[in-house]
Amino acid sequence: MALILLLSSQIALAQLPQAPQYADCRLDSVFPNGGQQGTTVSVTFRGQAYALNPPRGVIIDGPPGITVKDVKEGEKGTVVGTLEIAADAPPGRRWLRVLNERSGLTNFAQFVVGRLPESLEAEPNNELTKAQTVMTPTVINGRIDPKADIDCFRFTGKTGQILVAAIAAFSLDVHGQYKDYGIADFSLELLDADGRTLTAAEDTLGFDPLIEYTLPRDADYFVRVTMLNFGGFPDAVYRLTLGDVPYLIGTFPSGLRRDSEADVELFGPNIPPGTKRRVKSAADLTVPLQYIALDELPNSGLDMPLAIGDFPEQLELEPNNDREHALSLSWPVTVNARFAEPNDADWYRVTLTAGQKVWFDVTAQRFTHSPVDTLLQV
């Protein structure tokens, strides 16, 4: 009898569902990873092999305005979902996760709602002679795959236009896995009608390139997108904003105290000086970042994070470029500051007691995506 019971126990254990592997739970990318207000977008979700299937739905975190329709299995183990974006959906990012039978709920990938017309990259467009013609302003959703892939786009520009050509990928946590593990690091070039490079960019905002350039004449121009070291992989997706449009690159202040309210300046190419939004910071610090986007101007929808903290907040006051003019601070405090001109230095004075343990820390690129490399001295 004991032997029979043991065998029965083994059979029961064998019938228990097996825990999924880590890769089974991982969502590697969504494509396209953005869409325009008032449109319907077919989005492909990629994971390992058939790990995301069979799908049961898509969970969206973030601002309202997106309805999920027709989630189904796609080609090569992908999941395809239809997203209906309301005309009044707030601009900015959302976080998408796939609910599925195999692993339950995946990690999230980011998706941006914007105000500009959007299009998909169309291959072959590896050479200037085969460049894809686009109408500006636009957001182009593309990917660099396979390795050494090049994406070329042709557009018509006018004399004096302040052109913005900007990639959003690093800012949306686009990265690879396995042998392609790491960030998707893009390069961007602007060329004239004869194929001569007018200007180029790489790591402007973190690892995302940004070009701001005044066009010299009425003519056709090219934009060329590559990856650093001519890499490429299926999840190397990007959003290319192209046109004489506002593009958000920063806020000031770059953070707020929890459960407070303040006017926040938004700045970047083609954004009118003094553009501000009244922001109420979250009372819940479960996630100590809050995102803010341009609310009314036509834009790509790319937003910027605000760091939310517990300490009293203070704004830097110029002039404080030397020891004599150091700004006195109460303790503890978070100071919001910026380098407004070349060779700017910011000095602060604090009063401490012997044996006191203190903590000085600068947050810039780490959380707020500011393109600043700082030196801190005490």
Side-chain angles (χ1 to χ4, degrees), residues 40-122:
T40 299
V41 183
S42 177
V43 175
T44 299
F45 300 82
R46 256 183 48 86
Q48 177 179 322
Y50 291 85
L52 304 182
N53 287 304
R56 291 292 177 262
V58 173
I59 307 299
I60 301 179
D61 293 318
I66 300 180
T67 303
V68 181
K69 303 284 188 181
D70 303 325
V71 179
K72 59 186 178 182
E73 296 187 25
E75 297 180 354
K76 299 180 180 178
T78 62
V79 168
V80 178
T82 300
L83 304 185
E84 294 182 353
I85 307 174
D88 60 352
R93 75 187 67 202
R94 276 71 167 166
W95 294 264
L96 277 56
R97 297 183 288 173
V98 177
L99 179 65
N100 63 89
E101 190 72 24
R102 182 182 180 92
S103 61
L105 197 60
T106 67
N107 60 295
F108 63 77
Q110 299 184 40
F111 183 91
V112 177
V113 173
R115 294 184 179 274
L116 297 176
E118 305 224 355
S119 56
L120 297 179
E121 173 217 353

Side-chain angles (χ1 to χ4, degrees), residues 61-325:
D61 293 318
I66 300 180
T67 303
V68 181
K69 303 284 188 181
D70 303 325
V71 179
K72 59 186 178 182
E73 296 187 25
E75 297 180 354
K76 299 180 180 178
T78 62
V79 168
V80 178
T82 300
L83 304 185
E84 294 182 353
I85 307 174
D88 60 352
R93 75 187 67 202
R94 276 71 167 166
W95 294 264
L96 277 56
R97 297 183 288 173
V98 177
L99 179 65
N100 63 89
E101 190 72 24
R102 182 182 180 92
S103 61
L105 197 60
T106 67
N107 60 295
F108 63 77
Q110 299 184 40
F111 183 91
V112 177
V113 173
R115 294 184 179 274
L116 297 176
E118 305 224 355
S119 56
L120 297 179
E121 173 217 353
E123 295 283 358
N125 64 344
N126 282 34
E127 306 169 15
L128 295 184
T129 56
K130 298 179 180 179
Q132 178 181 347
T133 300
V134 297
M135 299 291 292
T136 61
T138 186
V139 175
I140 304 165
N141 293 277
R143 78 171 96 219
I144 298 297
D145 181 52
K147 291 185 182 299
D149 185 23
I150 299 173
D151 292 343
C152 300
F153 305 95
R154 179 196 295 267
F155 68 97
T156 299
K158 295 186 177 297
T159 304
Q161 277 187 323
I162 301 176
L163 176 79
V164 169
I167 293 284
F170 172 72
S171 56
L172 300 177
D173 195 31
V174 172
H175 59 274
Q177 299 291 343
Y178 300 115
K179 62 181 179 181
D180 297 315
Y181 186 81
I183 60 171
D185 194 354
F186 290 87
S187 297
L188 193 58
E189 293 176 88
L190 174 66
L191 307 96
D192 65 15
D194 296 320
R196 293 186 292 256
T197 298
L198 298 174
T199 187
E202 289 183 355
D203 302 338
T204 312
L205 301 172
F207 292 101
D208 284 340
L210 166 69
I211 289 173
E212 180 185 3
Y213 190 83
T214 302
L215 298 181
R217 62 183 62 88
D218 292 1
D220 282 353
Y221 296 87
F222 296 95
V223 167
R224 184 160 56 198
V225 181
T226 59
M227 275 190 66
L228 210 62
N229 299 325
F230 290 96
F233 50 88
D235 301 311
V237 301
Y238 63 86
R239 286 171 59 78
L240 168 62
T241 300
L242 189 61
D244 55 341
V245 294
Y247 196 80
L248 181 62
I249 66 170
T251 66
F252 188 78
S254 53
L256 298 173
R257 190 175 188 179
R258 173 169 52 171
D259 199 20
S260 66
E261 191 171 348
D263 289 325
V264 176
E265 178 187 355
L266 296 89
F267 58 87
N270 292 329
I271 297 178
T275 298
K276 294 183 178 182
R277 279 190 60 184
R278 189 71 178 174
V279 178
K280 177 74 166 63
S281 65
D284 183 4
L285 263 186
T286 303
V287 179
L289 292 177
Q290 186 170 326
Y291 289 84
I292 180 173
L294 290 169
D295 195 25
E296 297 179 354
L297 300 173
N299 66 94
S300 70
L302 184 66
D303 47 22
M304 294 297 296
L306 292 173
I308 308 300
D310 274 320
F311 297 146
E313 304 257 338
Q314 185 172 341
L315 297 182
E316 172 212 4
L317 294 176
E318 296 283 1
N320 65 338
N321 285 24
D322 52 38
R323 180 174 178 175
E324 181 181 357
H325 297 93

Side-chain angles (χ1 to χ4, degrees), residues 1-13:
M1 179 63 70
L3 178 60
I4 295 174
L5 289 174
L6 178 59
L7 289 175
S8 298
S9 298
Q10 289 177 335
I11 292 172
L13 289 173

